[in-house]
Amino acid sequence: PYVYVQATRLSPNQVVIWRYQASGSLSNPDAASLTINPASRHTVLTVPDNAPKHNGGTLRFGLDGMLYSGIGDDDVPCNAQSLSSPNGKILRLDVSGIPAGPGGAPPYAAITPVDNPFVARADTTARLVWAYGLRNPFAFEVDPATGCLVIGDVGNESWEEVDRACSGGMNFGWPLYEGPVRLAVSCASPDTIGLVPPIYAYPHISPGWAIVGGPAYHAPAGAESPYPASYEGTIFAGDTWRSLVKHIVPSGPGWALAAPLPGQADPENWETGAAWITHLEVGPDGSLWYTSLESASGGPGEVRRIIYYPPSVGAPASPAGEVRLAAPRPSPARGAVTIAWSLPAPARVEVALLDARGRAVRNLVRSGGRLSPAGAGAAQWDGLDDRGLAAPPGVYFVRLTAGAVERRERLVFLR
């Protein structure tokens, strides 16, 4: 019942992995009363941090039960090519043998998996390494279907890259290479062998780029809003500075940028309004979720999701006996909009209009604790918000809540 945390520590200057014990309703996935005991902290690993950047920052359990940690090169590029340094690496740790309760960092031998790629080396640091030749693997994900690591390696002056590690011991080339380009750099290390190119790289066109790697898309079983089947096994990558998401697909023996979708604002970028991304993940509903360092208006960080709404005409197809929400009519709309639904049984119904960021614009129907009868129901939106002011043109979503069931439909509103 443990939670693992990777952090950059200021005193002393270290990248550190800690383990804390959790308590509460651990067997209930919906429980809200979970507690982390600060006194239970057990140090798993410490890495010296001599520079204020390139610290990595992702911690993931693999399908093999091992703990993977991304560590940056600590602004010393050739660290990434030396297996005797933990920097510029993905480390793979076996934490199953750490004793219960608080404690200090165990010796490396106690957390070294017996099947790590360099386990035969005399150097105990090398034995922890899974992948190397990375500048700053700030964000990576584990493909839940294959176990491969999808790594976003933050570039220097010219390139950002996505690397894919499906086996241990791969050397991704930094600082000998940045993206696909050979640099005028050499490192006095015997470990600069077998360089592996990225599966995808994109060039900088202006200052300020920082890739966020992963995830590989697989719709969870029973997902409410899965993406189309064509997305299965494809890869997403974000960029913190540029507020964009790229979509990468298999192409022959390799990978390439996905063809743009109809209406995609930028042919190179699947999404261009995802501000300050720090992490991307496929949620249980099948949507792409992401964390934002701060809101678009400069406020506190947020968790957001990008939902797929299939094209629909009239009521969306659904089995008999399900709650149905029809597509708003007309859409696009310049005036009043009709919103219709049907219920298989009496339920408490609420209908709200949300803007593209998920904020409530107008509450059209409130249940007031009363049950609505089974059968058809309808409401109209007159283009005003809850304050009686004219809503601006844009994309909106109608949200129908009927008991524990939620349905959504997209609406384009014009003036």
Side-chain angles (χ1 to χ4, degrees), residues 53-376:
K53 58 183 180 179
H54 300 194
N55 295 329
T58 296
L59 199 60
R60 294 282 176 269
F61 275 102
L63 304 188
D64 52 10
M66 298 296 137
L67 187 63
Y68 292 79
S69 168
I71 308 289
D73 69 5
D74 203 24
D75 209 20
V76 181
C78 283
N79 276 345
Q81 286 298 325
S82 172
L83 291 176
S84 63
S85 167
N87 296 102
K89 312 292 192 299
I90 302 288
L91 305 180
R92 180 174 181 258
L93 316 175
D94 183 352
V95 296
S96 62
I98 297 178
Y108 281 5
I111 54 174
T112 300
V114 296
D115 56 347
N116 264 6
F118 304 108
V119 73
R121 294 284 187 106
D123 188 287
T124 56
T125 300
R127 296 176 189 175
L128 294 178
V129 173
W130 180 253
Y132 66 119
L134 297 161
R135 182 174 181 267
N136 190 19
F138 169 68
F140 68 88
E141 289 298 319
V142 178
D143 186 328
T146 65
C148 298
L149 303 188
V150 179
I151 306 164
D153 194 22
V154 178
N156 184 23
E157 295 182 352
S158 303
W159 291 88
E160 302 296 306
E161 71 181 63
V162 178
D163 300 305
R164 190 166 178 259
C166 295
S167 59
M170 300 175 78
N171 179 357
F172 292 107
W174 173 257
L176 310 179
Y177 279 80
E178 182 185 3
V181 176
R182 180 67 166 97
L183 303 180
V185 175
S186 61
C187 295
S189 170
D191 304 313
T192 56
I193 56 175
L195 307 185
V196 179
I199 65 167
Y200 177 74
Y202 59 94
H204 298 182
I205 56 175
S206 59
W209 297 79
I211 194 169
V212 175
Y217 185 85
H218 299 280
E224 296 176 0
S225 306
Y227 287 4
S230 60
Y231 280 78
E232 284 295 314
T234 63
I235 289 172
F236 288 102
D239 194 295
T240 302
W241 279 98
R242 311 314 298 185
S243 300
L244 55 83
V245 179
K246 290 181 177 288
H247 185 210
I248 306 160
V249 299
S251 177
W255 296 77
L257 201 64
L261 299 171
Q264 188 169 306
D266 179 346
E268 294 287 319
N269 301 305
W270 183 82
E271 167 63 48
T272 56
W276 294 105
I277 300 170
T278 56
H279 173 63
L280 291 157
E281 190 159 324
V282 179
D285 62 347
S287 300
L288 185 66
W289 292 59
Y290 66 95
T291 53
S292 175
L293 187 67
E294 62 180 40
S295 69
S297 61
E302 298 174 336
V303 177
R304 301 180 182 176
R305 61 178 176 170
I306 303 172
I307 299 176
Y308 172 74
Y309 289 93
S312 62
V313 177
S318 60
E322 286 196 1
V323 174
R324 297 187 181 190
L325 174 64
R329 294 199 176 183
S331 179
R334 293 186 181 275
V337 179
T338 298
I339 298 156
W341 63 87
S342 64
L343 307 177
R348 291 180 174 86
V349 169
E350 295 191 353
V351 179
L353 194 79
L354 313 177
D355 67 13
R357 294 182 60 193
R359 299 173 298 189
V361 173
R362 178 78 174 272
N363 289 295
L364 298 171
V365 177
R366 297 180 184 270
S367 73
R370 299 184 302 273
L371 292 176
S372 294

Side-chain angles (χ1 to χ4, degrees), residues 14-26:
Q14 295 174 332
V15 174
V16 62
I17 299 174
W18 286 315
R19 185 195 72 181
Y20 293 90
Q21 184 164 343
S23 60
S25 302
L26 299 175

